Amino acid sequence: MKPFNMNNVKLRDKLLLMYILSVFLPIVMTNVVFYQVTTTNIRNQKIRDASLALENVKASVKALVDQAAGLSYSFYADRSFNETLARRFGTPFDFVEAYDSFLKGSFSADKNVLNTMSYKVYTDNPTILSGYIVPLNEEVQSSGWYKQFKSVSLPYPSLIYDDQAFSVIQRLDYYYTNGFNPFLKIDLNMKTFGQLFHNNGFDGKVYLVDPGGQVQFSSEGEPPHANPFFQELELPEKSELFETRYTGINYLEGWTLHGVMNKEVVLNEVWKSRSFVFVLAFINFVVPSLILAAMSRSLHVRLVRLLKYMKKVKNQNFQTIPHEEARDEIGQLTNEFNRMTERIDSLITDVYLADIQKKDLELKQQQAQLHALHSQINPHFLFNALESIRMRSVIKEEGETAEIIHKMSKMLRKSISWSKDWISVAEEIEAVKYFLEIQKYRFDEELDYSIEVQEEAIGLKVPNMIFLPFVENASIHGIESIPGKGVIRISIGLEQGRLVFRLSDNGIGMSPDKLEEIRRYLNRDDAIGERVGMKNAYYRLKLIYQDRFSFDIQSKEGEGTSIEIGLPLTET
């Protein structure tokens, strides 16, 4: 698997990726974080406000109860008031006189106190007449609040809830009571008490719970019958619970305020601002998107157009891009492309086409030269003359001479068949044998030869008359001048996917200078000189195979010459 390379990604995809990574994801993440932070902050603020509102309710209830407790302590500590309550009066007149002197002033409370609470003194002193002081009769003793009061024995006021009212009751036993059980009962104004719960700013329900866990009052009014336990209340499923406890206050010790707020209420502020968040997100999303879309279109459209015209140039359609005013890099690239296209079109018209005409002329000249070479090695009149001589030798019964002339005729017949440019290796070797047999006839026993051809190479195709000129050169220029017996060895075979022709003789050889001269002569493209056959064959090899063939000639003076030719395989 190839490693990821950004250069292989299309420009459109790059711009889309840049948009997603640089605009879309940051905006989404920013708005998500903003929404979460806003939600958390509003929730925390709402919780803080709710806690503060509950603390305000707590403080208001405490202030009201403290006011009642303070009033009770004023009666509790009034010596004259308490001693008067403990007296046994002989006559009603004595009580009225004592009331005017010691009790009447105590019952003249502040009007503000009377607006929030009312109070009475209860006693079992039978000599005291009723009024502000109420006899402790059986009806009072059978009441629920009295039973609650008698169930506890505390030196400080008691907060008691009964019959849909809160009361603060204080025993008046700080001084001598003469065996009586006087106490003060202060009834709180429940309308005022209810207003403390309703006007508290807490977005939910507030419950006042006694030390036993029973709900004694709530912001909805009095609790249901039998004062349920707070833990047994059916609260909304998604609720935020708040709790604040009274501590350090004797008469409120163990009482708690519980607040219950629906979470939907907590998030109302967030929902109210949701449209603002969406509008802000929409602006943050759309405006950069439009800007990037316009910029990316400016890049992508012009680059695609530039690529389109480049492909036209590839197909030799040198059409320029319509001009437009653009000074950025793509505009400069477009202008340079137009200049380059016009220049290439001009060069092709002025130079390339002229060069093609020149190459075409040279090719025609080479073809004409090739036909001239063919004419040099296959004269028709020789074949006709030799045929006449052979027939004359047959008439005179000169068999050996007739056979040699016959082979010479067949060799010449092959040489004039230039309409057949390619022949098999077997056909080429047959012409070589004809030539060598003629040479043996000429030199008698002074020439010997051997030919080895691999079976796989016999059917392969080679250019007509391509090996024979080298054999002719070895016989005439190599063997003819030596005093002893000349030997020519020929081998043709397949090596490493190529057809290899090897020729060696034991002729006179060549000096290094002569050998180098021959090599230069073969590689020149000028007119053909003395060695017509060898130059002809080499030149044809270059025309046919160009640089796909190999040629090597080696020679030592007095030892002989060897030639090796390697050709690509051709079966047809």
Side-chain angles (χ1 to χ4, degrees):
M1 181 178 180
K2 294 183 179 179
F4 176 76
N5 189 346
M6 185 60 72
N7 294 332
N8 296 332
V9 180
K10 292 184 177 179
L11 179 62
R12 181 181 59 186
D13 297 336
K14 288 181 181 178
L15 293 175
L16 179 61
L17 183 62
M18 180 179 67
Y19 169 78
I20 293 174
L21 296 179
S22 302
V23 177
F24 182 77
L25 289 182
I27 289 177
V28 170
M29 293 177 64
T30 300
N31 282 279
V32 169
V33 171
F34 173 76
Y35 183 80
Q36 292 295 332
V37 170
T38 303
T39 302
T40 302
N41 289 341
I42 293 177
R43 180 180 181 277
N44 292 338
Q45 184 62 43
K46 202 70 177 176
I47 290 175
R48 285 195 295 268
D49 293 343
S51 299
L52 182 60
L54 195 62
E55 289 295 329
N56 290 335
V57 175
K58 175 184 176 183
S60 299
V61 172
K62 177 180 176 297
L64 183 60
V65 176
D66 280 347
Q67 188 178 23
L71 179 62
S72 70
Y73 279 127
S74 67
F75 280 93
Y76 182 72
D78 190 337
R79 186 182 185 90
S80 298
F81 181 84
N82 283 278
E83 287 178 350
T84 302
L85 288 179
R87 285 175 56 187
R88 289 182 181 272
F89 297 97
T91 63
F93 177 78
D94 293 336
F95 170 72
V96 171
E97 184 179 3
Y99 177 82
D100 291 337
S101 300
F102 302 106
L103 301 180
K104 186 177 181 179
S106 300
F107 288 110
S108 300
D110 189 354
K111 290 184 179 181
N112 292 329
V113 173
L114 294 177
N115 289 332
T116 57
M117 63 192 70
S118 61
Y119 55 90
K120 291 180 181 180
V121 175
Y122 292 83
T123 182
D124 55 355
N125 187 347
T127 63
I128 295 178
L129 301 178
S130 62
Y132 280 104
I133 300 175
V134 181
L136 189 59
N137 53 31
E138 290 183 0
E139 182 182 355
V140 171
Q141 291 179 4
S142 63
S143 64
W145 61 265
Y146 182 77
K147 291 179 181 180
Q148 291 184 51
F149 169 67
K150 291 295 291 183
S151 65
V152 295
S153 179
L154 300 172
Y156 46 82
S158 299
L159 179 63
I160 293 174
Y161 181 81
D162 182 64
D163 196 20
Q164 300 181 358
F166 278 101
S167 302
V168 176
I169 302 178
Q170 171 68 56
R171 284 185 174 85
L172 301 178
D173 57 359
Y174 185 69
Y175 298 101
Y176 176 70
T177 62
N178 197 18
F180 299 119
N181 296 306
F183 60 89
L184 174 68
K185 180 175 180 285
I186 303 174
D187 294 326
L188 302 181
N189 188 326
M190 293 308 296
K191 183 178 180 181
T192 302
F193 194 84
Q195 289 177 350
L196 299 180
F197 281 77
H198 288 97
N199 303 328
N200 52 38
F202 186 88
D203 291 332
K205 300 177 182 179
V206 180
Y207 298 91
L208 180 61
V209 181
D210 65 16
Q214 288 183 298
V215 177
Q216 300 294 351
F217 195 81
S218 73
S219 56
E220 295 180 327
E222 294 78 9
H225 182 69
N227 301 89
F229 287 94
F230 179 77
Q231 299 296 335
E232 297 175 353
L233 293 178
E234 294 183 1
L235 303 178
E237 184 178 353
K238 296 181 179 180
S239 300
E240 289 284 349
L241 302 180
F242 303 85
E243 180 181 344
T244 181
R245 186 178 297 273
Y246 289 98
T247 58
I249 305 172
N250 293 332
Y251 41 84
L252 287 173
E253 189 70 35
W255 286 79
T256 56
L257 278 173
H258 291 269
V260 179
M261 181 184 294
N262 195 321
K263 287 185 178 180
E264 300 293 332
V265 176
V266 176
L267 295 178
N268 269 343
E269 295 298 327
V270 178
W271 294 338
K272 290 178 182 178
S273 62
R274 183 188 302 174
S275 58
F276 171 75
V277 174
F278 286 160
V279 170
L280 183 62
F282 180 77
I283 294 174
N284 289 337
F285 177 76
V286 171
V287 173
S289 299
L290 292 176
I291 295 174
L292 281 177
M295 296 179 65
S296 63
R297 186 180 184 281
S298 173
L299 296 174
H300 182 257
V301 171
R302 291 189 294 158
L303 284 176
V304 169
R305 182 180 61 179
L306 182 60
L307 180 60
K308 174 183 176 182
Y309 278 87
M310 284 184 175
K311 290 181 178 179
K312 288 184 178 180
V313 172
K314 176 183 176 183
N315 297 325
Q316 298 184 0
N317 182 2
F318 300 99
Q319 184 179 354
T320 58
I321 301 174
H323 179 72
E324 65 177 10
E325 289 294 333
R327 298 183 179 181
D328 61 357
E329 288 79 359
I330 297 179
Q332 296 177 18
L333 183 61
T334 300
N335 293 334
E336 293 301 322
F337 171 80
N338 285 339
R339 293 193 193 96
M340 181 189 69
T341 302
E342 292 172 353
R343 182 61 176 165
I344 292 176
D345 190 22
S346 175
L347 289 174
I348 289 178
T349 302
D350 299 340
V351 178
Y352 181 66
L353 293 179
D355 188 61
I356 289 178
Q357 293 174 356
K358 180 180 177 182
K359 293 293 184 182
D360 185 60
L361 180 60
E362 290 179 354
L363 181 60
K364 290 180 179 179
Q365 290 175 347
Q366 290 175 353
Q367 291 176 345
Q369 188 176 9
L370 181 61
H371 289 305
L373 291 174
H374 289 174
S375 298
Q376 290 179 17
I377 65 173
N378 59 11
H380 234 89
F381 70 93
L382 286 179
F383 168 71
N384 294 330
L386 287 173
E387 185 65 20
S388 298
I389 295 172
R390 187 183 74 84
M391 292 302 296
R392 183 68 176 174
S393 297
V394 171
I395 294 172
K396 291 183 176 184
E397 297 182 355
E398 296 176 357
E400 185 178 6
T401 301
E403 180 64 24
I404 292 301
I405 293 175
H406 176 68
K407 291 180 179 180
M408 185 65 175
S409 297
K410 293 188 67 174
M411 186 178 68
L412 288 177
R413 187 184 299 276
K414 289 181 178 295
S415 70
I416 67 173
S417 301
W418 285 104
S419 59
K420 190 176 181 182
D421 295 331
W422 294 82
I423 61 174
S424 66
V425 171
E427 292 175 306
E428 181 72 10
I429 291 302
E430 184 180 16
V432 170
K433 287 181 178 179
Y434 290 158
F435 174 77
L436 290 176
E437 286 296 327
I438 293 172
Q439 291 300 97
K440 283 192 69 174
Y441 175 77
R442 175 186 174 189
F443 294 112
D444 198 10
E445 300 298 327
E446 298 300 320
L447 174 65
D448 194 7
Y449 69 90
S450 66
I451 300 175
E452 297 179 0
V453 182
Q454 290 183 1
E455 186 70 24
E456 297 83 358
I458 290 177
L460 296 178
K461 299 296 183 179
V462 293
N464 193 3
M465 303 288 285
I466 201 67
F467 297 147
L468 180 60
F470 298 102
V471 178
E472 176 191 11
N473 187 75
S475 175
I476 295 174
H477 297 286
I479 300 298
E480 187 173 330
S481 301
I482 64 172
K485 185 176 183 179
V487 178
I488 295 177
R489 291 184 175 84
I490 299 172
S491 67
I492 299 177
L494 299 180
E495 294 182 10
Q496 299 179 350
R498 295 171 69 84
L499 178 67
V500 179
F501 168 80
R502 290 189 178 92
L503 169 67
S504 64
D505 64 67
N506 63 344
I508 59 174
M510 292 178 284
S511 64
D513 294 338
K514 184 65 174 177
L515 178 62
E516 189 62 29
E517 180 184 349
I518 292 295
R519 288 171 176 166
R520 287 196 301 268
Y521 166 70
L522 292 175
N523 286 308
R524 286 201 304 267
D525 291 332
D526 54 5
I528 297 174
E530 298 178 355
R531 298 175 181 268
V532 175
M534 189 171 175
K535 176 71 172 180
N536 178 1
Y538 186 81
Y539 197 63
R540 287 169 59 217
L541 286 172
K542 289 180 65 176
L543 288 175
I544 295 171
Y545 294 107
Q546 298 179 3
D547 59 350
R548 295 180 295 117
F549 79 100
S550 62
F551 180 86
D552 182 56
I553 179 171
Q554 301 291 335
S555 182
K556 288 186 179 180
E557 193 170 6
E559 297 182 9
T561 303
S562 63
I563 293 176
E564 180 178 307
I565 301 173
L567 303 178
L569 300 183
T570 304
E571 296 183 356
T572 58

